Amino acid sequence: MAEKISLKSVLFNPLSENNPVVVQVLGICSVLAVTAKLEPAIVMGLSVIAVLAFSNVIISLIRNTIPTSIRIIVQLVVVAGLVVIVDQLLKAYAYDVSKQLSVFIGLIITNCILMGRLEAFAMANKPWPSFLDGIGNGLGYTIILVIVAFFRELLGSGTLLGYQVVPDSFYEAGYVNNGLMILPPMALIVVACIIWFQRSRNKDLQEP
């Protein structure tokens, strides 16, 4: 029973109580860079989930054979290999989104969430818990990406997933899209609002 509770917390804690973005404040750079539109944010999130989950499993499987002195190099090689696979799949099946994400798919290699989970969890745990940890932290990251992108695209462009959702009658009545929302600083402000909301609801996260 204890194992089930442990696995449940490994999977679900990163979604809220220990979210890698709004609690641990990791992976902020990509949150600022790819959230002007909802579609690339979703694809980026799914890419990070895949890379994080499978790199966690691979490192967990070989953790006892990795010399301590080169463990970071091995982790980088594993992540880089998976990122190349994801990048090629996107270019083959979602080329337009791949162009929008540009270099940011490649920069998953340097995402501190990945390196942090590999070093702190996968190096010390079995493959299945490591896989769940990767899925949980990837989902936690993706949730924040989607929330930020939702508000930035809706308020900045009047669209969601490229489809217009603000009626033409609003524009005819004088409504104007907020151009500031598609600028990177607004992503930081939206993330700050999410952090404030998260910490206001969770007393354990509030500083004395």
Side-chain angles (χ1 to χ4, degrees), residues 8-198:
K8 183 178 179 180
S9 65
V10 165
L11 179 61
F12 290 108
N13 276 1
L15 303 184
S16 178
E17 296 177 11
N18 196 27
N19 187 279
V21 179
V22 298
V23 177
Q24 301 177 45
V25 196
L26 301 174
I28 293 292
C29 295
S30 55
V31 173
L32 305 183
V34 304
T35 55
K37 300 288 183 180
L38 190 54
E39 184 179 17
I42 292 172
V43 173
M44 182 68 171
L46 293 175
S47 300
V48 169
I49 291 172
V51 173
L52 183 51
F54 287 106
S55 60
N56 260 15
V57 171
I58 293 171
I59 292 299
S60 177
L61 287 169
I62 64 174
R63 70 188 189 281
N64 293 325
T65 63
I66 303 175
T68 303
S69 58
I70 62 168
R71 70 185 188 283
I72 301 298
I73 296 174
V74 174
Q75 292 169 11
L76 284 171
V77 169
V78 170
V79 172
L82 291 170
V83 167
V84 169
I85 293 172
V86 168
D87 186 40
Q88 293 303 309
L89 287 173
L90 287 177
K91 287 179 178 177
Y93 298 104
Y95 184 69
D96 290 340
V97 179
S98 177
K99 285 178 63 179
Q100 291 181 57
L101 290 172
S102 183
V103 299
F104 295 106
I105 287 293
L107 289 177
I108 291 176
I109 298 170
T110 62
N111 193 314
C112 43
I113 297 173
L114 276 88
M115 300 308 298
R117 299 322 299 166
L118 292 175
E119 184 70 10
F121 198 92
M123 287 293 291
N125 291 276
K126 294 181 179 180
W128 179 241
S130 297
F131 178 76
L132 294 179
D133 179 78
I135 294 292
N137 280 275
L139 283 173
Y141 169 84
T142 301
I143 287 170
I144 303 304
L145 242 65
V146 169
I147 292 173
V148 175
F150 175 87
F151 286 107
R152 291 186 70 196
E153 182 175 358
L154 178 62
L155 300 178
S157 304
T159 62
L160 287 175
L161 293 173
Y163 297 98
Q164 182 176 332
V165 294
V166 176
D168 289 332
S169 58
F170 280 37
Y171 294 108
E172 293 170 0
Y175 177 81
V176 178
N177 292 327
N178 187 344
L180 289 175
M181 289 300 294
I182 61 177
L183 299 178
M186 289 307 298
L188 190 60
I189 291 173
V190 175
V191 171
C193 291
I194 298 172
I195 292 174
W196 168 79
F197 179 75
Q198 168 80 347

